[in-house]
């Protein structure tokens, strides 16, 4: 059986040194920044970048979007989460 969205998110959290969550929850700003670091994405700007910008950078880095300019900024869907997990070599096997 394929992993759930929650299981994939938690695998990504664990692979980036973040705590797994018991309940279903989207990534926080800090978790997105940890994903960017794991993917070796240089986060631009002073301070913390916006969640929108980080989602776009992640999508472009793992090949979900052709470029940063064409990348969607919405929350990640299951197939996108799987691509991110593959990109950081996170395993959602139970």
């Amino acid at each position: 059986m394929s992993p759930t969205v929650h299981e994939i998110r938690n695998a990504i959290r664990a692979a980036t040194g973040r705590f797994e969550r018991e309940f279903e929850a989207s990534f926080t700003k800090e978790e997105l920044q940890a994903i960017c670091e794991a993917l070796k994405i240089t986060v631009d700007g002073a301070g913390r970048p916006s969640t929108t910008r980080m989602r776009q950078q992640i999508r472009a880095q793992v090949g979900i979007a052709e470029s940063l300019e064409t990348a969607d900024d919405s929350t990640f869907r299951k197939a996108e989460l799987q691509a991110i997990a593959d990109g950081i070599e996170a395993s959602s096997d139970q």
Side-chain angles (χ1 to χ4, degrees):
M1 183 157 80
S2 69
T4 65
V5 167
H6 180 65
E7 291 168 337
I8 298 169
R9 275 196 196 108
N10 273 339
I12 293 168
R13 287 181 176 109
T16 58
R18 308 301 298 179
F19 292 103
E20 293 183 27
R21 294 179 179 245
E22 188 174 330
F23 299 102
E24 181 88 20
S26 295
F27 292 124
T28 63
K29 195 172 218 180
E30 290 79 13
E31 290 168 335
L32 288 171
Q33 192 163 8
I35 294 168
C36 286
E37 289 171 11
L39 292 170
K40 299 186 181 2
I41 296 171
T42 303
V43 181
D44 46 53
R48 291 189 189 165
S50 70
T51 56
T52 298
R53 184 73 170 169
M54 287 188 285
R55 285 187 192 116
Q56 290 172 320
Q57 290 175 308
I58 292 166
R59 281 185 170 97
Q61 182 71 22
V62 298
I64 296 167
E66 289 183 23
S67 69
L68 187 57
E69 293 75 27
T70 63
D72 186 10
D73 62 1
S74 63
T75 57
F76 298 112
R77 293 169 199 81
K78 185 174 184 178
E80 294 171 328
L81 289 169
Q82 190 59 60
I84 295 164
D86 292 346
I88 61 171
E89 300 177 0
S91 174
S92 58
D93 295 334
Q94 294 293 318

